[in-house]
Amino acid sequence: MKYRIICVIVAVALVISVMLFPDIKDKRNRYHQHLEAKPKAECTNHNDDVFCTHLPLINITTDGEMPSPYILEEGQELPYEDIALGLIHIEKNDEMVGATIEYFDCETQNNHLTDNPVIKEKAFVRTRGATSRIYDKKGYLIKFKESDLVTNKDVSLAGMTEDNEWILHGPFLDKTLIRNYICYNLAGEIMEYSPNVRFCEAFLNGEYIGVYLIVEKIGYNKYGRVQVSKTDSKIAETSYIVKIDRQNMDPLESITTFSRKSLFSSSLLANTGYMSIVYPASTLTEEQRRYIISDISKFEKSIYSFDYDDEKRGYLKYIDVESFVDYFLINELTLNYDANALSRFFYKDVGGKYKMCVWDFNSAFDYYKYSYTTPQTFQLHKSIWYEYLFKDETFVEAVIDRYYELSKSYFNEEYLLNYIDETIEYLGPAIERNYEKWGYSFQSEYNGKLYDFIYPTERNVRSYEAAVTQLKNCISNRINFMNENIGRLGSLSHDSINKKYNYENREEKQ
């Protein structure tokens, strides 16, 4: 009887909470553009030569020429093929240029450059990306500014959280155009935060540049995005966001914690696995920097110690286990092995625990240059921190149990293949327009340039249909492999005779 009364009380409380807070939604209620964008009727009131799209439309007009993506010596030509093959590396050029950004996004009708933009703002723009900046279709960072081009201005694009910084990702290597869209949204359904994304089409200085993905940039925002509290430069103890990637040469933002100093992690390879502070950035103090280094190092020491699975002294004191489990699974499912020691973000609120955040699925689902990332493998259990977390049987069991739970929904083959078909249907004629511009990239060579970025050569697709088939086959193979082999991860958490011996000696000495 008492349980029935409790249930009634809970039900009434839920009804009251909905009435009092009708705008509160499940934080994982992800907006999927291809499912929720309102359908639009075909335009019949203009000629065929007028650009017309059902997608949001971005028009960038720069105040001068776009700076070169690389810093070159006077008279030096860009050694395109050597960079594409990974034979040499040239210093990136992150110089920005002033620009006017026009954004068109009518809910009920198609968008045209002749329409009145819903947003027209000043901004700075630059090429972005590491490997991807070599491609003909560039990615861009947009920083919105007030008319003085000094003060930051927060702007909302496509209903996403307003901010002054936005990413325009231009899918070029990914011939399906949809890898990042799928993976960010998949992560957004299961994790506390994953950057929101929207498809659009874009123009740069009057030239059509194809289908792009508007992506939220990872960082603190008073309106949302990563859920950490605002920093106070007067106090050393602060919330923070850190990126693990290539080396950052900024002496204040770049940090070296216990993992790299001690060389405990085998995954910290040359020019990878370096940490840099993303937030706080402009207000970061030396005292806060030292606090962040010390804080992360305490966490890392807890993982590498014999007390790693102790509730009071081990990693459980420091990390949100669910976040670490989901981060592992989303990157394993998608074969996104940049997440080993590149493009890895983590964050911690003051007094909270560490949580992970996904980033960059450009090469997901077996689209790295080389074919070592086949669907029949596990790799992230060998990456920084995870190589020690997987020594704990409780953590491994959490990974396995969570996978089986997700395999009934978001990690289900039928769900993912349908998601692909529905997304492609939504993009519709935008795909054809994109490849009217970039269709030559399906060729092995064009105008003396190499466009077979994937090795061996036969892994490069020659049509959009072949690219979609390749993606679907990879997903099917990957899910079949994980369904059959996820339990094998349990072998990584066998009892340690060293730990047992250590504790026995400690007890004898006491």
Side-chain angles (χ1 to χ4, degrees):
M1 181 65 181
K2 66 177 181 180
Y3 296 108
R4 190 174 300 170
I5 294 173
I6 291 172
C7 289
V8 171
I9 293 173
V10 170
V12 171
L14 286 172
V15 172
I16 293 173
S17 67
V18 170
M19 293 174 63
L20 292 176
F21 307 103
D23 294 328
I24 293 180
K25 298 180 179 180
D26 184 344
K27 64 185 177 183
R28 295 177 184 173
N29 184 17
R30 185 78 171 190
Y31 178 91
H32 299 260
Q33 181 185 13
H34 73 287
L35 296 176
E36 299 177 61
K38 294 180 180 179
K40 300 174 182 178
E42 184 177 348
C43 284
T44 58
N45 59 350
H46 58 70
N47 298 329
D48 291 341
D49 59 351
V50 174
F51 185 84
C52 176
T53 177
H54 64 294
L55 299 178
L57 177 60
I58 288 183
N59 184 31
I60 304 171
T61 305
T62 61
D63 298 337
E65 290 187 13
M66 281 295 301
S68 168
Y70 297 95
I71 296 177
L72 303 173
E73 297 178 3
E74 186 175 353
Q76 180 186 3
E77 292 186 5
L78 183 66
Y80 178 91
E81 187 167 332
D82 288 341
I83 298 175
L85 292 171
L87 300 177
I88 64 172
H89 298 278
I90 294 181
E91 186 178 354
K92 296 185 298 182
N93 182 13
D94 287 339
E95 179 185 353
M96 306 196 81
V97 63
T100 299
I101 309 294
E102 294 179 302
Y103 177 72
F104 306 83
D105 192 6
C106 181
E107 287 190 6
T108 57
Q109 298 178 3
N110 285 355
N111 296 300
H112 319 82
L113 292 172
T114 53
D115 297 340
N116 292 322
V118 294
I119 292 172
K120 185 174 182 179
E121 300 288 351
K122 298 298 292 183
F124 279 112
V125 179
R126 69 166 173 85
T127 305
R128 67 166 304 278
T131 305
S132 61
R133 69 174 54 208
I134 189 62
Y135 305 142
D136 295 0
K137 185 181 182 183
K138 308 298 183 189
Y140 300 100
L141 172 68
I142 298 175
K143 298 187 73 169
F144 284 104
K145 297 286 183 178
E146 298 286 0
S147 57
D148 60 9
L149 285 179
V150 175
T151 309
N152 292 336
K153 183 170 186 177
D154 292 332
V155 173
S156 174
L157 297 178
M160 293 184 280
T161 303
E162 59 184 273
D163 197 90
N164 68 292
E165 290 192 332
W166 293 89
I167 301 296
L168 267 187
H169 164 64
F172 188 75
L173 181 68
D174 173 20
K175 298 298 190 290
T176 70
L177 309 176
I178 64 176
R179 275 176 166 80
N180 272 284
Y181 177 80
I182 293 172
C183 296
Y184 279 127
N185 283 336
L186 198 62
E189 287 288 1
I190 67 175
M191 300 186 73
E192 178 178 88
Y193 175 72
S194 167
N196 286 287
V197 292
R198 303 286 192 274
F199 282 116
C200 71
E201 291 187 84
F203 280 77
L204 175 63
N205 292 328
E207 181 181 359
Y208 176 73
I209 54 175
V211 172
Y212 273 73
L213 197 66
I214 308 171
V215 185
E216 290 180 340
K217 191 170 184 286
I218 294 176
Y220 165 80
N221 186 298
K222 62 183 178 181
Y223 306 108
R225 295 201 180 178
V226 178
Q227 297 178 18
V228 294
S229 55
K230 186 177 181 180
T231 185
D232 184 344
S233 59
K234 298 177 183 178
I235 303 174
E237 187 174 351
T238 179
S239 58
Y240 55 89
I241 305 169
V242 172
K243 181 180 182 179
I244 302 179
D245 204 277
R246 294 176 177 85
Q247 191 167 13
N248 182 342
M249 302 310 294
D250 187 300
L252 187 60
E253 294 177 359
S254 177
I255 58 175
T256 302
T257 62
F258 182 75
S259 280
R260 185 166 287 279
K261 285 182 178 179
S262 63
L263 300 179
F264 260 99
S265 179
S266 60
S267 64
L268 299 181
L269 306 175
N271 201 31
T272 67
Y274 287 92
M275 292 188 189
S276 58
I277 299 169
V278 174
Y279 178 80
S282 58
T283 63
L284 179 66
T285 66
E286 182 58 39
E287 290 74 20
Q288 289 176 329
R289 180 178 182 273
R290 287 196 296 266
Y291 164 76
I292 293 171
I293 292 172
S294 174
D295 206 37
I296 296 172
S297 295
K298 288 178 183 177
F299 155 54
E300 292 180 327
K301 290 175 183 178
S302 76
I303 297 179
Y304 304 139
S305 74
F306 280 109
D307 292 321
Y308 65 86
D309 57 353
D310 185 273
E311 290 187 9
K312 294 182 179 180
R313 294 185 292 271
Y315 71 85
L316 291 171
K317 178 181 176 181
Y318 297 95
I319 76 168
D320 182 303
V321 173
E322 180 182 338
S323 178
F324 275 68
V325 166
D326 288 343
Y327 181 87
F328 171 84
L329 286 173
I330 187 68
N331 285 292
E332 270 294 352
L333 175 77
T334 60
L335 294 163
N336 188 38
Y337 291 143
D338 268 356
N340 184 334
L342 290 171
S343 301
R344 177 183 290 193
F345 287 80
F346 64 98
Y347 57 98
K348 181 176 180 287
D349 201 3
V350 176
K353 294 186 176 183
Y354 288 107
K355 297 180 181 180
M356 305 294 288
C357 184
V358 297
W359 186 249
D360 188 0
F361 293 90
N362 291 353
S363 300
F365 290 120
D366 196 21
Y367 230 55
Y368 283 91
K369 283 185 179 181
Y370 305 101
S371 57
Y372 71 90
T373 56
T374 60
Q376 291 75 36
T377 185
F378 289 115
Q379 288 199 30
L380 280 178
H381 64 280
K382 297 180 287 186
S383 68
I384 180 174
W385 302 337
Y386 283 97
E387 57 189 326
Y388 288 88
L389 290 174
F390 270 86
K391 294 181 183 297
D392 181 24
E393 184 178 3
T394 302
F395 184 84
V396 179
E397 287 177 350
V399 169
I400 295 171
D401 290 346
R402 179 65 165 157
Y403 175 77
Y404 284 127
E405 176 189 349
L406 292 172
S407 67
K408 300 173 184 177
S409 55
Y410 301 115
F411 286 13
N412 179 271
E413 180 180 358
E414 182 178 359
Y415 171 82
L416 289 172
L417 298 187
N418 284 338
Y419 198 99
I420 291 172
D421 291 337
E422 291 167 350
T423 302
I424 292 172
E425 183 179 1
Y426 169 72
L427 288 176
I431 297 172
E432 184 178 349
R433 287 192 292 268
N434 181 85
Y435 284 114
E436 286 176 2
K437 171 71 176 179
W438 305 111
Y440 63 82
S441 64
F442 286 112
Q443 301 179 36
S444 178
E445 292 186 21
Y446 180 76
N447 281 348
K449 288 185 178 180
L450 173 70
Y451 288 94
D452 276 357
F453 294 105
I454 310 295
Y455 303 97
T457 302
E458 55 267 21
R459 292 178 64 223
N460 293 275
V461 295
R462 303 303 178 201
S463 69
Y464 185 77
E465 293 72 22
V468 173
T469 298
Q470 184 187 62
L471 174 61
K472 287 184 173 182
N473 287 342
C474 179
I475 289 175
S476 297
N477 291 334
R478 183 59 176 163
I479 288 177
N480 288 337
F481 172 81
M482 291 189 71
N483 286 346
E484 295 175 3
N485 294 278
I486 192 72
R488 291 171 52 199
L489 292 174
S491 64
L492 300 172
S493 58
H494 59 82
D495 290 336
S496 168
I497 188 143
N498 291 324
K499 177 176 179 177
K500 181 180 179 182
Y501 180 76
N502 177 277
Y503 273 109
E504 286 177 350
N505 282 351
R506 181 189 301 177
E507 291 172 359
E508 288 175 3
K509 290 178 182 178
Q510 291 176 345

